[in-house]
Coordinates of all heavy atoms in Angstrom, one line a residue:
Q260 N -15.6 49.2 27.6 CA -14.7 48.0 27.8 C -14.3 47.4 26.5 O -15.1 47.2 25.6 CB -15.5 47.0 28.7 CG -14.6 45.8 29.1 CD -15.3 44.9 30.1 OE1 -15.8 45.4 31.2 NE2 -15.5 43.6 29.8
F291 N -23.6 45.3 15.7 CA -23.9 45.4 14.2 C -22.7 46.1 13.5 O -22.3 45.7 12.4 CB -25.2 46.2 14.1 CG -25.4 46.8 12.7 CD1 -25.8 45.9 11.6 CD2 -25.1 48.1 12.4 CE1 -25.9 46.4 10.3 CE2 -25.2 48.6 11.1 CZ -25.6 47.7 10.1
I351 N -25.7 76.3 35.9 CA -24.6 77.0 35.3 C -24.8 78.5 35.3 O -25.8 78.9 34.9 CB -24.3 76.5 33.9 CG1 -24.0 75.0 33.9 CG2 -23.1 77.3 33.2 CD1 -23.6 74.5 32.5
E519 N 18.4 45.5 4.5 CA 19.8 45.0 4.6 C 20.5 45.2 5.9 O 21.1 44.4 6.4 CB 20.6 45.6 3.4 CG 22.0 45.1 3.4 CD 22.8 45.6 2.2 OE1 22.1 46.3 1.3 OE2 24.0 45.4 2.1
G541 N 7.8 41.1 16.4 CA 6.4 41.5 16.5 C 6.1 42.7 15.7 O 6.9 43.6 15.6

Side-chain angles (χ1 to χ4, degrees):
Q260 185 169 308
F291 166 76
I351 297 183
E519 182 176 351

